[in-house]
Every structure is written in C-alpha cells, then in structure tokens.
Amino acid sequence: MFEDLAGRVAVVTGGARGLGLTMAGALARQGVSVGLLDRLPEVAASADKLGADSGSASAGVVADVTDPGSLAAAFDQVEAQLGPATILVNSAGISVWSDAEEQSCDSWRQVLGVNLDGTFFACQELARRCKTTGRSASIVNVSSMSGSIVNVPQHQTAYTVSKAGVTMLTKSLAVEWQQLGIRVNEIAPGYFLSDMTRQFVDDNPSLAAEWTGRTPAGRLGEPSDLEGAVVYLASDSSRYVVGHTLAIDDGYTLV
C-alpha cells in the first residue's frame, strides 16, 4: 500500500472506460476517492461500479476536456462530492488514421484539441485551484511512445504530433510548477489492448500480428500493466521525480 494516497482525491479524464478507468481503479484500491470525467454518458455507471468494486468514494461527471468552462464545472462537481483534488490523471485521448495529405482541418483540430489542448486545460484547472489554496499535487499525463517514434504501418501524424506535444507540455509545466508544489510527470504506453486499439486489431489480425511482432514480449500491453506506474507517480514515493516520461512499451522503442 502507498499509505499517503489514502484519503486523497483524484480526477481522471477519459475515465469512463479503457485505460483511464483501469488507472482510476488502481488509485481507488489505494484508498483514493476518484472523480471520473468523460464526454461519454456511461461515466456515471462506471463511477458507481468503481466505487462498489473498490470501496472508495467515486463520482462520474460528463465533461468536455476541450472546453475550459466544462472542465471547471466538472472539477466543481467532483470537489462538492468528494473534496478538493490533489491528483490528476489525464487519460482522455482519441486517434484518427489518415494519410496526412488527405486529413481534414476539422479532423486535425479534433485530435490536437482532445489530446493536447485537453491535457493542458485540465492541468491548468487543477493548478489554479492548488495555487489558490496552497495544496501540493501530482499530475500524471498519459502520452504515448508515439510521441517519440513514428507509428507504422498506419498513418497517424496528428496523433503522434499531439503526443509529442504532451511530452513537452509535461516538461514545461514540471519546471514552472515545481515551485507551487505541483509535480508533473507522464507515462508513455506502447501498444495496449485498450478500447481505442481493439477496434482496429479485432478487424485486422494482420495489423495485430505486425504490432506484436515488433514488441519484444510478443504481446500487446494489458491495461493492468499501467497500474503500478500511475500509483507510484501519484504518490509521495515519487516525490523527487519531476518532468519524467516513463515508457511502458516492453522496450518497443528500443529495438
């Protein structure tokens, strides 16, 4: 157990399902009260199940991470139900496959808006609240190995650019907010069996074979492979870890 986590409050964006919900569960099992934010209406049911399974308090709030006003209202709701948040996990993200020369302006802006703008706006919302009250906090951004490599064989320029932006955002905020007592780090998953990737691999076995063939372990990551990392980075056990990118890709980016 990470004893310092018990009794704290976390906000997890993209928390209705997938990797976000898995990481929220890992925190909840450490005694963290968790507010799930997502644009999907199922977020309320996900929060109810999370609370029942973990025994920790939870709340589910529909929110749009690309809208600062929506985020502010969602943080207000979480605070009213659970208390002020001192942990933020930015897991909201989307991916679009498109040849770069054919990608529409709207599609480009949507990917950058959710993945990069949404991460910044959520970080900003937490930081403003912590600065006002003097609370320290830990932020864990979810980037991707795709922020440091070019994905193949699929074409995902908008996605890789957005994730590279999250990495530099993490570093910049880590330096700027260290004096406020706000630590900012990120995890960079490789290919995981998330809801986002399943829609591709289930219909394209050859794609799944190529991804696993490039992964040293010969398998895609399971959502549970992220649990230890997010708990560690959220806790005081990582109090001297600042602006770090923790790659969780089985060494994919090394070979």
Side-chain angles (χ1 to χ4, degrees):
M1 289 286 291
F2 290 77
E3 294 181 359
D4 68 282
L5 290 177
R8 295 176 65 182
V9 176
V11 167
V12 179
T13 70
R17 61 181 184 177
L19 301 183
L21 183 55
T22 295
M23 290 185 285
L27 291 170
R29 288 191 294 276
Q30 298 293 325
V32 178
S33 298
V34 181
L36 303 179
L37 272 53
D38 207 296
R39 63 183 179 181
L40 299 175
E42 66 196 67
V43 68
S46 296
D48 289 343
K49 188 175 187 306
L50 175 67
D53 290 345
S54 67
S56 293
S58 62
V61 181
V62 175
D64 179 358
V65 296
T66 69
D67 179 354
S70 177
L71 276 172
F75 269 76
D76 284 343
Q77 289 187 54
V78 171
E79 185 164 339
Q81 294 183 54
L82 305 177
T86 58
I87 298 168
L88 170 63
V89 180
N90 280 306
S91 185
I94 60 172
S95 177
V96 173
W97 293 14
S98 173
D99 295 337
E101 72 275 13
E102 302 295 337
Q103 187 160 26
S104 70
C105 179
D106 286 345
S107 173
W108 173 269
R109 286 176 174 168
Q110 182 184 32
V111 175
L112 271 290
V114 173
N115 296 357
L116 182 54
D117 295 352
T119 298
F120 173 65
F121 293 149
C123 289
Q124 190 178 53
E125 186 62 37
L126 180 72
R128 285 171 172 166
R129 293 165 186 262
C130 289
K131 184 177 182 180
T132 299
T133 60
R135 299 192 308 270
S136 60
S138 177
I139 296 174
V140 183
N141 293 328
V142 181
S143 179
S144 170
M145 70 175 185
S146 306
S148 60
I149 63 169
V150 175
N151 292 341
V152 293
Q154 71 275 16
H155 297 161
Q156 292 179 283
T157 294
Y159 181 76
T160 58
V161 168
S162 71
K163 292 303 186 177
V166 171
T167 295
M168 186 50 68
L169 174 67
T170 298
K171 294 178 180 179
S172 297
L173 297 182
V175 172
E176 183 174 346
W177 290 349
Q178 175 69 343
Q179 62 182 340
L180 299 179
I182 301 172
R183 291 189 302 109
V184 188
N185 292 286
E186 72 172 11
I187 59 175
Y191 286 120
F192 270 71
L193 283 171
S194 66
D195 291 313
M196 187 165 62
T197 58
R198 284 186 190 276
Q199 63 183 316
F200 303 121
V201 300
D202 287 349
D203 297 329
N204 196 336
S206 63
L207 180 63
E210 179 152 2
W211 287 353
T212 56
R214 291 172 177 267
T215 304
R219 71 169 178 89
L220 303 186
E222 296 288 345
S224 59
D225 292 325
L226 299 179
E227 293 180 356
V230 72
V231 169
Y232 168 68
L233 290 175
S235 76
D236 290 344
S237 294
S238 60
R239 60 186 174 274
Y240 207 58
V241 180
V242 175
H244 180 69
T245 299
L246 177 54
I248 308 176
D249 63 359
D250 189 57
Y252 186 105
T253 51
L254 303 179
V255 297

